Amino acid sequence: MAMSMAMAMAMAMPNSQSLKASPVRNIYSELVYVSSSVISAFSRFRFQAKAPMNFTCRLKSNSVYEDLPAVGEDLPPDYEEWMPKKDPKDRRRAGILLHPTSFRGPYGIGDLGEEAYRFLDWLQETGCSVWQVLPLVPPGRKGNEDGSPYSGQHVMDMRITAVDDDFQDANCGNTLLISLEELVKDGLLMKEELPKPVDADRVDFSTVANIKDPLIAKAAERLILSEGELKNQFEDFCRDPEISSWLEDAAYFAAIDETLNTISWYDWPEPLKNRHLSALEEIYQSKRDFINIFLAQQFLFERQWQKLHNYAKMKGIKIMGDMPIYVGYHSADVWANKKQFLLNRRGFPLLVSGVPPDAFSETGQLWGSCPLYDWKAMERDEFFWWIRRIQRAQNLYDEFRIDHFRGFAGYWAVPSEAKFAMDGRWKVGPGKSLFDAIFRAVGKINIIAEDLGVITEDVVQLRKYIGAPGMAVLQFGFGSDADNPHLPHNHEQNEVVYTGTHDNDTTRGWWDIIEQEEKSNVLKYLKITGEEDISWALMQAALTSVAQTVIIPMQDVLQLGSSARMNIPATQFGNWSWRLPSSTTFDELEPEAKKLRDMLSVYGRL
């Protein structure tokens, strides 16, 4: 499908003007108009003081409203059946954290094919109703951040190493997750074209890319040249204003990047760097095939993901996604929206993101490739960039975690020339104004606030203001005293509890390295002996919590050690490559499914 000259012209316009003129902006305005009264009504319902109950109120019994008798009169015969009913929104539940790359698969990486459906079948058997994944964006391949779904947030110095060249946009999908077998079913590949299976215990992203990229591109090209219903769906995908508003920028960015192969867009020729119309038109004419294949690959990812998402819904399983708060500098996000970020006149970051010294690093974590937002400029634009990003997340997931939520209240700002994160300072974030704008535009959003680390009172108040659950991690609970917020007796109902996250060691690995005093605290608190399996003991402790949601990493279900750890924060190598053991199939995990289901039944999480 060819991209028109008008598309390039629209992309070349300054962001604020193009937003005001675009179909997306018109739809956004209508959404604001339609939803404002709903949000107003919700606010009144939520915050207005509740009137005292009187005897003329009505009670619901068997879906029929009846007047109560006068004081002292007999109540109806079925009065004892008027039992309190739980709000379905307060349902206790549990889920599993497992990123799709960790599935077994024939070509060295998990994908959105058969094994993903088997996992959902198994998950339903356990009684779990949540599947948490990591970000689905294209992973780091070239920027010393091999395979990271958080691409930009771990590269230490953008002056030396760029965030990966494949991270086109925070809204794009990871095409390495596309199932080749599903492409055969769609008639876009022939069975005899499939490569020989690769037996790999860990993901080697470069090897996987060499195997899968050419075949996915071939399938995309065949889709473009085809006729029929699938081609019509592809064209509808490209015309969807909520998709095209970011997809076209990402396609142009990828085409320029592939042509020039520089460290970052900062080094591009000035006409391309600043999106001059004539330069973009020249790129379109010279890279038309590349751009169209890029669009088709994103459609194929979307098609397979939404098919899997719909299967999860049919199974009664919600998918919880993950959204990094920041985006990488070398991305269409920044290149196409420079005024939304704190950049100097030449386009170089003035300040970059990170966190002060913490448990993972004595000098803090410097996310040098992630420029900070210009929150004042975003507010003048009614936070449209964020609204578009939230809408995309809502399309992909049923709910999603926002990583580093505390940055919306107060964020750590480090001068771009600094070598260590400790050289930064705290600055005021957008706070309520951002979420008020989001609520006006899209209504209620189901988010989880990652509120770990240095959490001040303003972060807590902002989280409560928007009604988002926070997080607790049991592995953090046993190194101090009884006031530790991660201990089960301090949990809140509106909270998501983990045994550990993707940034933690596995529970088995954690147990093997903690000090004896901390081990004693664990044994005493859980009332177990050291001979019992710590992974399932900690899982049970999480499930007993008053918190509404419990998430368990798949590694803990399998009782795996440190070799199965997904990520070590503040490190760049050897992460994100864990896969389910080759000897493990979901059919063979029936005992674990039954054991977990029994636990969920005991603690009211089915």
Side-chain angles (χ1 to χ4, degrees):
M1 187 188 75
M3 185 174 292
S4 67
M5 176 77 168
M7 288 182 179
M9 292 177 66
M11 291 176 57
M13 294 175 65
N15 187 50
S16 60
Q17 294 180 14
S18 61
L19 291 175
K20 293 177 181 177
S22 71
V24 178
R25 186 52 173 255
N26 292 335
I27 291 176
Y28 161 68
S29 299
E30 292 176 10
L31 285 171
V32 171
Y33 174 77
V34 171
S35 63
S36 61
S37 60
V38 177
I39 298 303
S40 176
F42 171 76
S43 298
R44 287 195 301 271
F45 170 78
R46 178 163 180 166
F47 297 111
Q48 191 175 42
K50 189 180 292 184
M53 184 177 292
N54 58 53
F55 290 107
T56 60
C57 69
R58 295 173 181 264
L59 297 178
K60 189 172 183 180
S61 176
N62 299 323
S63 301
V64 177
Y65 284 87
E66 299 176 343
D67 286 329
L68 277 174
V71 176
E73 297 295 328
D74 290 344
L75 285 162
D78 64 347
Y79 173 65
E80 293 183 9
E81 299 175 9
W82 294 7
M83 306 307 294
K85 293 185 178 180
K86 291 184 178 180
D87 190 329
K89 293 183 293 185
D90 294 332
R91 174 195 174 195
R92 287 166 61 80
R93 59 186 190 157
I96 296 293
L97 168 59
L98 180 63
H99 196 53
T101 57
S102 296
F103 292 137
R104 299 308 305 175
Y107 310 115
I109 191 173
D111 58 33
L112 305 179
E114 182 179 357
E115 197 70 8
Y117 289 87
R118 287 182 178 176
F119 167 69
L120 288 172
D121 292 340
W122 177 85
L123 195 62
Q124 185 187 42
E125 291 177 10
T126 68
C128 289
S129 54
V130 181
W131 173 25
Q132 183 178 345
V133 299
L134 303 181
L136 295 174
V137 298
R141 297 191 196 179
K142 303 177 185 177
N144 289 336
E145 188 54 29
D146 192 23
S148 172
Y150 297 90
S151 295
Q153 290 200 38
H154 302 282
V155 180
M156 298 302 164
D157 191 342
M158 65 173 294
R159 295 169 297 175
I160 300 173
T161 306
V163 67
D164 81 281
D165 291 2
D166 303 286
F167 187 68
Q168 296 95 8
D169 190 281
N171 296 308
C172 285
N174 178 7
T175 55
L176 292 181
L177 291 176
I178 293 174
S179 165
L180 300 184
E181 285 76 13
E182 290 293 314
L183 295 180
V184 172
K185 293 178 183 178
D186 287 334
L188 298 175
L189 288 178
M190 293 180 288
K191 191 172 183 179
E192 52 267 28
E193 291 179 309
L194 296 180
K196 294 180 180 179
V198 175
D199 186 16
D201 290 332
R202 302 188 75 87
V203 181
D204 183 323
F205 288 91
S206 297
T207 300
V208 169
N210 290 336
I211 294 172
K212 296 187 71 171
D213 279 348
L215 289 169
I216 295 171
K218 180 182 288 188
E221 188 174 10
R222 287 173 178 167
L223 170 63
I224 294 167
L225 298 174
S226 69
E227 300 292 339
E229 178 58 26
L230 194 59
K231 176 67 173 294
N232 293 338
Q233 292 176 17
F234 169 50
E235 292 176 346
D236 289 342
F237 171 79
C238 293
R239 284 193 293 261
D240 184 340
E242 290 191 5
I243 299 293
S244 62
S245 62
W246 56 264
L247 183 58
E248 292 170 12
D249 286 339
Y252 270 77
F253 182 88
I256 299 169
D257 194 42
E258 197 267 345
T259 301
L260 300 178
N261 196 28
T262 60
I263 290 179
S264 77
W265 62 262
Y266 182 82
D267 299 313
W268 291 355
E270 195 274 338
L272 290 173
K273 179 178 177 179
N274 291 316
R275 299 165 56 84
H276 292 183
L277 173 61
S278 58
L280 292 178
E281 177 62 21
E282 185 178 338
I283 283 292
Y284 174 67
Q285 294 301 331
S286 63
K287 303 290 291 185
R288 180 182 306 183
D289 291 342
F290 178 95
I291 289 172
N292 287 334
I293 288 174
F294 179 92
L295 299 175
Q297 288 175 322
Q298 285 300 310
F299 166 75
L300 293 173
F301 167 84
E302 184 81 7
R303 172 178 167 80
Q304 290 192 10
W305 173 254
Q306 294 299 352
K307 181 181 176 183
L308 185 63
H309 190 183
N310 288 332
Y311 187 78
K313 290 179 180 178
M314 186 182 73
K315 292 284 184 178
I317 295 168
K318 291 188 175 182
I319 296 180
M320 180 189 295
D322 201 332
M323 176 191 289
I325 186 174
Y326 295 119
V327 297
Y329 176 75
H330 187 59
S331 66
D333 298 289
V334 180
W335 171 69
N337 302 278
K338 299 184 189 73
K339 292 182 179 180
Q340 307 290 324
F341 296 85
L342 289 174
L343 311 177
N344 64 22
R345 291 184 178 180
R346 294 175 297 163
F348 197 82
L350 295 169
L351 297 168
V352 295
S353 54
V355 293
D358 59 12
F360 294 113
S361 175
E362 294 181 355
T363 60
Q365 297 181 50
L366 181 60
W367 303 330
S369 65
C370 293
L372 290 172
Y373 299 112
D374 186 340
W375 287 116
K376 292 180 180 178
M378 285 190 159
E379 186 166 20
R380 288 193 296 270
D381 203 27
E382 298 178 331
F383 297 105
F384 177 74
W385 187 92
W386 266 100
I387 289 168
R388 183 176 67 179
R389 194 178 183 203
I390 293 292
Q391 288 173 325
R392 174 59 175 162
Q394 287 184 306
N395 177 253
L396 291 172
Y397 315 116
D398 300 296
E399 53 195 282
F400 53 97
R401 188 189 82 126
I402 298 185
D403 193 52
H404 199 62
F405 176 85
R406 74 105 52 244
F408 295 123
Y411 57 93
W412 191 247
V414 186
S416 58
E417 66 276 9
K419 295 182 178 180
F420 300 103
M422 64 173 61
D423 296 326
R425 62 178 60 186
W426 289 108
K427 291 183 176 292
V428 178
K432 297 177 181 179
S433 60
L434 168 64
F435 291 97
D436 286 343
I438 291 171
F439 293 155
R440 287 194 298 268
V442 304
K444 186 181 185 300
I445 56 175
N446 297 318
I447 67 171
I448 295 88
E450 188 273 285
D451 55 351
L452 306 175
V454 180
I455 301 302
T456 47
E457 181 62 23
D458 55 338
V459 182
V460 176
Q461 292 303 318
L462 179 61
R463 179 181 64 78
K464 290 183 177 179
Y465 175 75
I466 66 174
M471 289 174 51
V473 180
L474 291 192
Q475 287 186 22
F476 294 153
F478 302 97
S480 57
D481 57 24
D483 291 331
N484 189 310
H486 297 281
L487 287 173
H489 66 264
N490 291 322
H491 292 171
E492 301 176 3
Q493 190 271 341
N494 192 28
E495 198 165 39
V496 180
V497 172
Y498 294 77
T499 52
T501 72
H502 63 277
D503 282 336
N504 291 91
D505 203 340
T506 66
T507 295
R508 180 76 254 174
W510 163 78
W511 179 256
D512 289 341
I513 63 172
I514 60 175
E515 299 293 335
Q516 187 58 47
E517 181 180 357
E518 191 170 353
K519 282 187 177 181
S520 298
N521 292 340
V522 175
L523 297 175
K524 185 185 300 183
Y525 192 94
L526 301 184
K527 297 181 180 179
I528 61 173
T529 68
E531 298 176 358
E532 296 184 51
D533 180 72
I534 189 61
S535 298
W536 280 83
L538 210 64
M539 287 165 54
Q540 183 174 19
L543 295 171
T544 65
S545 169
V546 70
Q548 183 177 356
T549 305
V550 170
I551 300 293
I552 300 167
M554 189 66 188
Q555 293 95 318
D556 285 353
V557 176
L558 299 176
Q559 308 174 54
L560 300 177
S562 294
S563 62
R565 183 170 183 168
M566 196 65 170
N567 179 50
I568 302 176
T571 65
Q572 293 179 253
F573 304 104
N575 298 316
W576 315 112
S577 61
W578 177 75
R579 301 181 71 195
L580 288 163
S582 57
S583 58
T584 301
T585 67
F586 291 111
D587 291 338
E588 295 171 345
L589 292 179
E590 185 177 344
E592 286 82 358
K594 183 180 185 306
K595 185 176 180 180
L596 186 53
R597 188 179 187 89
D598 288 344
M599 277 190 176
L600 267 58
S601 177
V602 169
Y603 300 114
R605 295 188 181 274
L606 288 180

